[in-house]
Amino acid sequence: MFSHILLAEKVWITRLRGFDSSRLPIWSEVDIEVCAELVMQNKESFTTFLTNLSHTDLDKLIFYTNSKGEEFKNPVRDIRNLAFGPPEFVKATGNRNKYVCVS
C-alpha cells in the first residue's frame, strides 16, 4: 500500500507539471529501496513545484486523463489542498515545508 501512495504522489506531481500521467503505474509493488527513492524524488518535486508557485497559479486549471482514459480538470488550488491540506491547516500546523503523502 505504501508504494501505491508514493506512486500516486508521482502521478499528481506529473499532472501539476503539465505532463501526461495516464501511463504511470499506481498499483505496482516495489521494494523498500525503490520506495525510499520515490520518497526523496516526490519530496524534491513537490518542494520545487511549491517554491515556484505564485498566487495566480492556484487558479490555473490542470487537465489530465486518468489510467482508465477518463478526462478531468481541476484547479491547482484543489490539488494542492488534497496533497498538503487547506491553507488553514498549513498555517495552524506549520506544515508548509514538510513532506506529506497524498492519500
Side-chain angles (χ1 to χ4, degrees), residues 15-101:
R15 291 171 179 167
L16 285 167
R17 294 176 62 215
F19 298 111
D20 180 23
S21 66
S22 63
R23 294 193 176 134
L24 292 176
I26 58 171
W27 288 108
S28 298
E29 290 294 323
V30 296
D31 62 34
I32 193 69
E33 289 82 17
V34 174
C35 284
E37 182 61 29
L38 281 169
V39 166
M40 296 307 296
Q41 288 174 3
N42 291 351
K43 179 180 179 181
E44 183 178 320
S45 294
F46 269 131
T47 300
T48 299
F49 179 79
L50 292 173
T51 300
N52 295 316
L53 190 66
S54 71
H55 185 68
T56 57
D57 291 334
L58 293 172
D59 295 322
K60 178 181 173 188
L61 288 177
I62 301 295
F63 294 85
Y64 59 93
T65 304
N66 69 11
S67 59
K68 295 178 183 177
E70 301 167 321
E71 296 180 358
F72 296 90
K73 64 180 176 183
N74 293 100
V76 169
R77 178 185 319 277
D78 291 355
I79 297 169
R80 181 211 54 192
N81 289 350
L82 173 67
F84 297 99
E88 300 79 26
F89 171 78
V90 172
K91 184 176 181 182
T93 62
N95 200 28
R96 176 174 299 283
N97 295 314
K98 293 183 181 176
Y99 178 68
V100 188
C101 289

